[in-house]
Each structure stands twice: as C-alpha cells, then as structure tokens.
Amino acid sequence: MSKDNNNESVRLVKIVAECGFASRRKCEKAIESGRVRVNNEVILDPAYRVKDTDEISIDRQIIERQTKRYIALYKPIGVVSTTAYVAGRRTITEFFKNIKERLFYAGRLDSESRGIMIITNDGEFANIITHPSYEILKVYDVVVNGKIDSEKLLNASRGITIKNVSYSPFKFKILSKGKLQSKIRMTINEGKNREIRKIFDFLCYKVVDLERISVGCVSKYNDISGTLEAGHIRNLTEEEIAFFFNQKDKKLREIESIFDEKRLEEYYDSLDDDNLEEDNTNNDTTSEKKHNKSAWAKAKPKKKKPISSNKKQKTYTPKMASLSKADKEAKRKKKSDFHSELRNKNNKQYKKSIKEQLESKKKKRRR
C-alpha cells in the first residue's frame, strides 16, 4: 500500500465505533465474530485499514460515516464531565442529545467548576488538546477567600510539588484583592486532576469559584456568536480548528529539526574539535577533566557480572525435613504437652478467679 493510501485509510474498528454502534471493545468483538463487512467481504481484523470510498456494513446494514464535529460547551456547576450514565447526577450529554454523532470530551472539568469544554468525535483533535507536549494554554478565573499573598503565589508559580506530585510553572494576574475575597487569572499548560484547587489548598486558600475562560484560542467570548452562556454550545470556527492542527504541525517540525543534516554536521565537527583538544592536553596532569554532555550521548550499558560455577544455588530446606521420624514425633509431643499444660494452667487461673468473685459477692450479701 502506498503512503498516500496509508494517510487516507483509517482502522475499521475506529469507524464502526464512531458511527455510534457500540463501545470500542464491543465493536472489536463484533468484527471478530464476522458481523462486519467491507465491500461485501467479511473482515475479522479490527485493525484492517479502510478508505473513504469503501462500503462498510454491520449485520448486512450499511453504516453512514460520521462527519467530524468540533463543539465548544459552557459547562454549568453541578454537571459531571462524563458521557456515561451516573445515577442521580446531571452529565454533559444532556446538552447535545439531538446530535446523532457519538461525541466525547477533550479535557475534563470537575463538577464544582464551570467553563469552556471542547466536545468532538475526532480522536486526533482531542489528543492535541489533552496531551501536555502540545502545550495548549488554558485560562482560568479563580476566586479565593481572604486576601491573597502575592509573594506566596509567585513562589508557587515557578513550579511546586504537592504530595510527590509536581506541577509545572504557571502565569497569573491578580484582578482584585480584598479582605474577604480575591480574584486571580491563571494560565496553565497542563490539566492534572483538580490542579488549581490543590495549589490554593496548599497555600491555605479555599477556592470559592473556578471558571475556565478559554482553551487555546477557543474562548467563551466570541465576536460572531457572542458570549457563551451556561449550558449552551456552539460549533468551532474553521480558524479555531486550524489553530489546534497547526500546533501539531509545529511540534512535528520541531522533532524533524533534531534530525536536520546541518545539525548533524555541527555535531560531528564538535566531536572532531574535542578529540584535537584531548590530544593537546594529554601531557598536562594538572588540567581538570570536564564531561561534555551532548543531545546524542547515551549511557553505557552496565556489564553483567559472570556467575561463577563454584557457587551453589541456595535452596530452601525446612527444619523438620532434616530430622528422623523419632525426633519428629518427640518434637511434636513436646509441643503438644507444652500447649496442654498452658491450657490447664489458664483454666485453673480462670476457675480460681471465678471462685474469688463468688466469694466476694457472698460476703457483700451477708453484710
């Protein structure tokens, strides 16, 4: 198969799952059981590559390919960020019930928080938003109780570790500072579980309100559709969608630049210079040796110590196995005699204590 076809083709299980038939695992079972056909041929491999022109059917019924959807949702407080059913709780699925495509979220918000969430059915798009390597910035407005200490927050913004979990540096701006409440705007590039709440809790502040204003270039303020209200959704513009895919292309270009020919030539030239310097400084005993770290340096594998044939492998042998039958029986008898004697002794003490209690009761009654 050519490269062009590989780029256009998609795994069969992904298309079947995206059409809303079932979960990914159930779709894999359906394919393996022979229920799915591609161009009227039974395919049993879930990883089979399918083109856009191929016709796919489940139980002889042709499925329609899903169109890619990119939606911004303003999640209200008290709504759980899940597409699964939760008894007695509101979930984000209630805001896009009428959409036939099978959607999922790209980045969560806890039920006590509100703000922008990205909803999509494109796994690649969701990965760009959620993976920390793409460094998609997220902006939050945080209201905390009390007057915020700017020095404490500045120290935390350089990077902080809480309960063996390290949080990366963030930017902040104090919008208001009062005796009762303070409002801070925070910009972070990662989305660890309850990150902002844990940071302020560590600084001895309680978060009163937490609102996510934007994810990347997607904001609750939009020139075309206006301010997005709680519980409302809107489709992302082409410019907003392109922004996230450009972020991926930028990351790929950075990776490709590592293997650039010019950079390799510079690296090898630097190696030759180092070798010349070493030859000149071999006679100098007083010169200090410094380790030159390079991007291509690799740690040398540790040499395994050979196992000598003289050493015998240690094996566990129970103590009773080395004794004879007579010694075993004598040992068991001694043990049983000890336990029986202990029981008798305890019984005598128990009976004695009962007798003493009865006698003390009789004396009290006589008085």
Side-chain angles (χ1 to χ4, degrees):
M1 193 179 281
S2 65
K3 285 184 180 181
D4 297 334
N5 291 336
N6 269 328
N7 292 331
E8 292 174 2
S9 62
V10 187
R11 284 180 292 117
L12 178 59
V13 67
K14 186 181 178 182
I15 293 170
V16 176
E18 283 178 353
C19 76
F21 172 71
S23 65
R24 187 67 68 94
R25 288 182 183 178
K26 287 183 180 178
C27 289
E28 284 178 1
K29 287 179 182 178
I31 293 165
E32 288 167 358
S33 61
R35 294 173 62 189
V36 180
R37 292 169 180 258
V38 178
N39 298 327
N40 211 21
E41 289 184 12
V42 176
I43 303 296
L44 302 174
D45 183 14
Y48 180 80
R49 310 296 292 191
V50 182
K51 299 176 189 174
D52 292 336
T53 53
D54 291 335
E55 188 180 78
I56 303 163
S57 61
I58 303 169
D59 299 332
R60 300 277 184 176
Q61 291 184 358
I62 296 166
I63 63 169
E64 293 181 6
R65 299 273 184 107
Q66 278 195 330
T67 54
K68 300 293 182 185
R69 298 297 299 266
Y70 309 97
I71 296 168
L73 163 69
Y74 190 99
K75 187 191 84 67
I77 295 170
V79 178
V80 184
S81 300
T82 181
T83 52
Y85 172 74
V86 181
R89 300 293 300 274
R90 294 175 68 193
T91 59
I92 56 171
T93 49
E94 70 178 72
F95 304 112
F96 42 87
K97 277 182 180 177
N98 300 326
I99 297 170
K100 63 179 182 178
E101 285 84 10
R102 192 162 182 259
L103 303 173
F104 50 87
Y105 54 85
R108 299 183 68 176
L109 268 176
D110 58 71
S111 60
E112 299 163 10
S113 304
R114 59 194 174 99
I116 293 292
M117 286 183 69
I118 306 296
I119 311 296
T120 184
N121 59 350
D122 189 347
E124 185 184 2
F125 185 77
N127 184 56
I128 293 166
I129 294 167
T130 54
H131 203 282
S133 65
Y134 294 107
E135 297 179 347
I136 302 296
L137 298 177
K138 302 166 186 74
V139 182
Y140 296 83
D141 275 357
V142 191
V143 179
V144 297
N145 66 335
K147 192 175 181 179
I148 193 75
D149 189 344
S150 54
E151 286 185 11
K152 274 186 180 180
L153 195 59
L154 183 64
N155 292 330
S157 68
R158 291 165 185 157
I160 191 169
T161 303
I162 303 166
K163 293 182 179 179
N164 298 325
V165 179
S166 58
Y167 298 98
S168 62
F170 59 85
K171 292 181 180 179
F172 72 92
K173 183 183 179 182
I174 298 170
L175 301 176
S176 64
K177 190 190 285 189
K179 290 181 179 179
L180 298 174
Q181 286 184 347
S182 301
K183 192 173 184 179
I184 306 103
R185 181 161 289 174
M186 287 180 67
T187 305
I188 62 173
N189 64 351
E190 63 178 3
K192 289 180 180 174
N193 185 29
R194 299 175 73 86
E195 179 177 352
I196 293 170
R197 291 182 185 276
K198 285 176 182 176
I199 289 168
F200 280 106
D201 186 50
F202 183 76
L203 299 173
C204 302
Y205 292 100
K206 186 183 177 182
V207 175
V208 179
D209 183 40
L210 180 60
E211 181 188 17
R212 188 196 277 166
I213 293 171
S214 65
V215 177
C217 65
V218 181
S219 173
K220 77 169 188 175
Y221 308 107
N222 188 263
D223 297 333
I224 300 164
S225 58
T227 304
L228 198 64
E229 295 179 3
H232 288 224
I233 62 171
R234 70 168 176 87
N235 291 319
L236 300 188
T237 62
E238 290 181 2
E239 292 175 357
E240 287 172 336
I241 296 162
F243 167 83
F244 292 103
F245 284 113
N246 288 338
Q247 199 74 7
K248 185 186 177 183
D249 295 337
K250 183 183 173 184
K251 206 72 188 174
L252 289 171
R253 282 196 294 273
E254 285 177 10
I255 294 163
E256 285 170 2
S257 67
I258 295 168
F259 302 97
D260 192 16
E261 288 181 5
K262 288 181 181 178
R263 189 163 176 178
L264 283 170
E265 285 174 8
E266 287 173 8
Y267 168 67
Y268 288 123
D269 290 338
S270 66
L271 279 181
D272 294 334
D273 294 338
D274 291 339
N275 291 332
L276 288 168
E277 285 174 11
E278 282 176 9
D279 293 335
N280 294 329
T281 55
N282 274 336
N283 299 323
D284 298 332
T285 54
T286 56
S287 62
E288 293 181 358
K289 290 183 179 180
K290 292 183 179 179
H291 175 64
N292 294 323
K293 290 183 180 179
S294 67
W296 308 94
K298 290 184 180 179
K300 291 180 181 179
K302 291 181 180 179
K303 292 181 180 180
K304 292 182 179 179
K305 292 180 181 179
I307 300 165
S308 60
S309 58
N310 297 330
K311 287 184 179 180
K312 292 182 180 179
Q313 290 183 345
K314 291 181 179 180
T315 53
Y316 172 72
T317 52
K319 291 179 181 179
M320 293 290 281
S322 59
L323 300 173
S324 62
K325 285 185 179 180
D327 291 335
K328 284 178 185 177
E329 286 176 6
K331 197 169 184 179
R332 282 170 188 158
K333 192 176 180 182
K334 189 178 179 182
K335 195 174 180 181
S336 62
D337 291 343
F338 171 76
H339 284 295
S340 60
E341 188 180 343
L342 191 68
R343 274 191 226 102
N344 293 331
K345 190 178 180 181
N346 289 336
N347 287 334
K348 284 176 183 177
Q349 286 178 353
Y350 178 67
K351 287 175 182 178
K352 190 178 179 181
S353 65
I354 289 169
K355 281 182 181 179
E356 287 175 356
Q357 286 175 17
L358 290 168
E359 284 176 4
S360 64
K361 282 180 181 179
K362 284 178 182 178
K363 285 178 182 178
K364 284 179 182 179
R365 284 174 187 172
R366 283 171 188 171
R367 287 175 188 172

